[in-house]
Amino acid sequence: MPLPPKKNVQDGAYWRAVIRLILGLLAVWAFVSLGAAILLVRQFDHLRVGALPGGFWMAQQGSIVVFVALIWIYAKRMDRIDRLHKHADDADSSSNGGNQP
C-alpha cells in the first residue's frame, strides 16, 4: 500500500491563495449579478449605453461580459499561483511519472 504524500509546508500557502482568489471573484460575481443587475438597477439606469438604460444593459449584456472576464482572470491567476507554488509541475510529474500524455 503506497504511503500518502507528505504534507508540504507550502500547501497551506497555496490553498490560502486559491481560496482568497475564489472568494474575491465570487464577491465580484455576487455584486454584478445581484447588486448591479437587480438591486442597483435604478442607479445604473441614469447611465446610457447606446440607446439603452445602463441598468437594463447591465442585467442583459454587462453581466455576461463580466462573467467571461472573471473566467479569464481566474485562469490567469491560477496559472500564476500554480507556477509560484510549483503545483503544476508537481502534479504532472507525480501523476504520470514525468512523462507527457
Side-chain angles (χ1 to χ4, degrees), residues 27-74:
V28 172
W29 173 75
F31 171 75
V32 169
S33 64
L34 182 64
I38 297 172
L39 298 176
L40 301 173
V41 72
R42 298 209 190 276
Q43 286 80 4
F44 279 100
D45 277 344
H46 297 293
L47 302 171
R48 304 294 290 181
V49 180
L52 300 172
F56 175 79
W57 187 86
M58 192 62 187
Q60 298 301 314
Q61 301 299 322
S63 300
I64 296 169
V65 171
V66 171
F67 297 153
V68 170
L70 288 176
I71 293 168
W72 185 82
I73 290 168
Y74 175 79

